Amino acid sequence: MKGARERWVRTGGVELCVAELGDPERPTVVLVHGYPDSKEVWSEVAVRLAGRFHVVLYDVRGHGRSTAPRPLRGGFTLAKLTDDFLAVVDAVSPDRPVHLVGHDWGSVQSWEFVTVGRTEGRIASFTSISGPSLDHFGHWIDARLKRPTPRRAGQLLGQGAKSWYVYLLHTPVLPELAWRGPLGKRWPKILERAERVPGGDYPTGSLPSDAAHGAWLYRDNVRARLRRPRPDAYAHAPVQLITPRQDAFLSERLYDDLDRWVPRLTRRTLPVKHWVPRTRPDQVAAWIDQFVTSVDGGRPAPAATGRHADRFAGQLVLVTGAGSGIGRATAIAFAEAGARIVAVDRDAEAAARTAELARLAGAAGAWAEPADVSDEQAMEVLAEKVHHQYGVLDVLVNNAGIGLAGSFLTTTTDDWRKVLDVNLWGVIHGCRLFGARMAERGQGGHIVTIASAAAYQPSRALPAYSTSKAAVLMLSECLRAELAPRGIGVTAVCPGFVNTGITATARFTGVDEAEELRRRRRSARLYGLRNYPPEKVATAVLDAVAADRAVVPVTPEAKAARLLSRFAPRLSRRIARVEPRL
Ligand code: NAD
């Protein structure tokens, strides 16, 4: 690993290869790898943490450059792995407790470290990724066997099916032959295809022997522990649990009962598969940093408690048109979830106010950036500044939009230009400039566009506005198809009538100024009577991102219009002919 200092630690008949990065005076973070891996699985996360922490990685016995115990059978028990961990900690941080992070089997063994008495006082915090405690797992199974409701039986069967490889690893010799033969050769390609792990210098050449030796991790521990789980496996340090929601090997339900074992638990989720240290190093490093810093500062509980705080805490979210209505409500909802907010609006004061409200709501940071989304150059400058100062976005919400009502024949080319410039070009600029960087980073993300029910419900009264929104809807669908292989979701949110300031600024064509003003007032009154709050649209936005939905109609009329357009298009066309009386 580039820039790492290496040393050897002798313990229990093996020699462990230990690598260190960063200043040893800083808090120590120990990263423990899983199966079939070596410490290199952490290389991307380690370099990101090294600027702020003393980062320590070691090859688990029998893996990477550490030597293997002889005989192998009985050489990988959790008790021996705990001895190894303590020997490493004695060597790298003799006077201060360390912050422990484990992935896969690194997490399984770390659960042992953090729940046995002899490590008490040596561990300041534990971040667990994709690897449960075997004791907790044993109790989880017991509870479901003793009271098998249909739901719990389903959970048991679900996890049972995901554990197919564990049964295989218990067969003698076969796993060793497979790993030292064809499986070992194909593994990097399998990881790339099935797990979207980027290729390169990982996995390392030691993979076949790591995997062959590592089979003993399972054989020496799994059956014995699941049969007789320890009754007192309580964590003696705060725990942060990062759960990849698309893990092919572990069900999310495994962690349902975890609060029973962990007095101070912080939950985080990611919409990805198992190998998060390789596929999402930025997010994993950021959450470790945040957690370690909060524990060291004496604040182990996360500040954010809003909807989906587990998913969005610390993420960078940019909302356009954030100065009012749906945009402001969305920025605040993400802030309540602990995200970092960039509030963009052409109205600088309104954007600043939103940033202030976002900070009060619990944002991990909030900044106002005045910009006109229809101005390509201004958007380029904005993107440059955001990427430079705050980083690559995790979520982009293209919300800025303006209203325009009036028949086609009374709509001037100038009217068309204005509405398309903001409602469509604004979205195009946002997706191009911020989406490109998201794709380039290769660590996923999400783009939301605020379209409208007008995108699929035609109306003689809104030809230009509806056209702009239909274009946004189609753009979202196309982009969703293009960006899916890069792990970037795209969602079109389609509200109906929402009580915001949009009516006060909407343009009405074909009438004089006095009549336009009257129509604005009247439509504002009607929207007020309908009284659907923008906060509910914001909730729908967060839910949609969390669930990666493609098209989300919000408000009953938007849902009805969507159904009509699909199943009763004739009726939808009849409604289009109705002239609203304003
Ligand atoms: P709003 O007028 O309350 O807020 C829009 C915000 O966008 C304002 O702060 C405004 O300053 C900003 N903005 C306008 N043009 C901009 C530009 N060129 N650059 C940067 N900022 C700009 O409106 P809202 O109802 O919250 O609308 C938000 C989005 O929701 C729009 O895209 C709108 O079309 C869509 N929408 C609204 C409704 C509704 O009933 N309110 C229904 C469906 C869709």
Side-chain angles (χ1 to χ4, degrees):
M1 202 174 306
K2 242 198 225 154
R5 307 177 292 275
E6 274 189 3
R7 67 161 102 179
W8 296 87
V9 171
R10 251 174 205 285
T11 162
V14 296
E15 275 195 274
L16 302 176
C17 179
V18 180
E20 287 170 82
L21 290 95
D23 179 357
E25 293 304 310
R26 299 274 177 98
T28 300
V29 176
V30 179
L31 306 168
V32 189
H33 71 79
Y35 178 87
D37 271 321
S38 62
K39 62 181 173 337
E40 313 302 324
V41 75
W42 286 115
S43 60
E44 292 291 328
V45 173
V47 291
R48 285 163 172 79
L49 291 173
R52 297 193 11 95
F53 302 104
H54 172 216
V55 182
V56 176
L57 317 87
Y58 66 97
D59 286 323
V60 171
R61 50 172 56 208
H63 296 71
R65 296 168 60 207
S66 295
T67 59
R70 293 286 162 213
L72 291 169
R73 179 188 298 274
F76 289 84
T77 59
L78 286 168
K80 289 185 176 162
L81 298 170
T82 309
D83 293 340
D84 292 355
F85 166 71
L86 283 172
V88 171
V89 169
D90 280 345
V92 297
S93 181
D95 309 319
R96 272 190 310 178
V98 301
H99 296 273
L100 177 61
V101 182
H103 173 247
D104 186 88
W105 251 95
S107 171
V108 174
Q109 53 178 301
S110 294
W111 273 114
E112 176 82 359
F113 310 160
V114 83
T115 55
V116 292
R118 62 193 173 117
T119 57
E120 223 159 315
R122 309 303 305 274
I123 301 171
S125 78
F126 169 38
T127 293
S128 159
I129 310 172
S130 285
S133 146
L134 291 182
D135 298 302
H136 301 165
F137 193 5
H139 289 292
W140 184 89
I141 294 171
D142 269 1
R144 276 148 191 81
L145 285 176
K146 277 185 193 136
R147 287 185 39 232
T149 61
R151 197 169 60 93
R152 295 174 127 219
Q155 293 174 354
L156 208 52
L157 289 173
Q159 180 54 49
K162 283 183 175 219
S163 297
W164 56 271
Y165 66 101
V166 180
Y167 318 129
L168 281 184
L169 281 165
H170 278 84
T171 58
V173 192
L174 268 179
E176 280 86 343
L177 286 176
W179 280 112
R180 293 196 192 276
L183 187 55
K185 281 201 195 83
R186 297 222 180 100
W187 189 244
K189 275 274 161 281
I190 294 174
L191 275 186
E192 226 174 304
R193 276 204 207 118
E195 289 279 333
R196 303 225 178 96
V197 170
D201 49 7
Y202 167 86
T204 53
S206 62
L207 171 78
S209 84
D210 299 342
H213 290 153
W216 289 101
L217 291 167
Y218 293 86
R219 293 168 185 158
D220 276 352
N221 299 294
V222 174
R223 265 184 300 188
R225 265 314 159 86
L226 293 190
R227 234 179 260 148
R228 272 183 304 281
R230 287 184 298 137
D232 57 349
Y234 297 102
H236 48 67
V239 176
Q240 167 171 244
L241 178 77
I242 301 180
T243 312
R245 305 189 79 166
Q246 297 160 15
D247 200 316
F249 311 106
L250 295 162
S251 153
E252 268 182 78
R253 301 276 73 83
L254 275 184
Y255 305 107
D256 282 356
D257 312 333
L258 200 57
D259 297 77
R260 176 184 157 199
W261 302 105
V262 181
R264 285 167 292 167
L265 178 64
T266 301
R267 290 179 188 262
R268 300 278 176 247
T269 59
L270 275 172
V272 290
K273 296 188 174 182
H274 184 76
W275 260 274
V276 279
R278 302 307 299 182
T279 57
R280 294 292 183 274
D282 282 351
Q283 185 61 78
V284 169
W287 276 338
I288 294 170
D289 184 335
Q290 211 180 25
F291 189 60
V292 168
T293 308
S294 74
V295 170
D296 271 359
R299 294 175 290 106
T305 52
R307 206 177 179 81
H308 304 299
D310 61 330
R311 169 78 164 74
F312 299 120
Q315 294 208 330
L316 185 60
V317 179
L318 184 144
V319 182
T320 67
S324 166
I326 295 169
R328 174 171 283 173
T330 302
I332 291 172
F334 275 112
E336 283 165 352
R340 295 179 298 139
I341 306 296
V342 184
V344 174
D345 204 290
R346 67 178 169 193
D347 179 341
E349 240 174 75
R353 177 79 186 125
T354 299
E356 197 182 313
L357 290 170
R359 272 190 291 273
L360 291 173
W367 307 275
E369 295 294 345
D372 181 341
V373 296
S374 66
D375 180 339
E376 184 177 358
Q377 274 187 346
M379 287 296 278
E380 276 171 8
V381 172
L382 172 74
E384 199 52 46
K385 182 174 180 195
V386 167
H387 291 136
H388 184 70
Q389 286 194 0
Y390 316 122
V392 179
L393 299 186
D394 295 297
V395 181
L396 164 67
V397 184
N398 292 296
N399 161 78
I402 52 174
L404 177 71
S407 72
F408 175 79
L409 292 179
T410 59
T411 305
T412 64
T413 47
D414 199 38
D415 289 330
W416 271 99
R417 225 167 261 131
K418 275 188 189 138
V419 77
L420 290 179
D421 275 354
V422 179
N423 291 11
L424 177 58
W425 276 104
V427 176
I428 296 172
H429 295 323
C431 293
R432 271 191 58 242
L433 294 162
F434 293 103
R437 286 296 291 269
M438 257 185 209
E440 201 180 291
R441 174 176 67 164
Q443 295 185 46
H446 206 100
I447 297 176
V448 177
T449 58
I450 306 295
S452 167
Y456 42 77
Q457 172 58 58
S459 159
R460 62 181 291 173
L462 297 168
Y465 181 79
S466 304
T467 303
S468 72
K469 292 298 184 181
V472 165
L473 177 58
M474 183 51 86
L475 169 62
S476 308
E477 292 269 29
C478 295
L479 200 56
R480 183 174 173 87
E482 179 174 336
L483 297 182
R486 294 167 182 268
I488 298 173
V490 181
T491 301
V493 172
C494 302
F497 301 106
V498 183
N499 193 10
T500 69
I502 198 163
T503 42
T505 52
R507 163 121 177 80
F508 289 79
T509 67
V511 292
D512 62 21
E513 261 182 49
E515 177 58 15
E516 183 172 37
L517 192 64
R518 200 191 64 77
R519 290 190 180 192
R520 276 186 188 147
R521 287 207 185 116
R522 182 149 164 75
S523 51
R525 219 173 22 250
L526 290 176
Y527 275 57
L529 283 175
R530 168 75 183 85
N531 203 18
Y532 195 92
E535 289 74 19
K536 280 198 180 178
V537 184
T539 301
V541 170
L542 269 71
D543 289 349
V545 178
D548 188 19
R549 298 205 176 99
V551 180
V552 179
V554 193
T555 73
E557 64 274 13
K559 288 178 188 158
R562 176 120 171 114
L563 286 175
L564 285 188
S565 70
R566 283 175 146 197
F567 302 112
R570 279 173 154 215
L571 184 53
S572 172
R573 283 183 201 118
R574 291 271 284 277
I575 292 171
R577 291 181 182 207
V578 175
E579 190 166 10
R581 282 210 210 116
L582 282 174

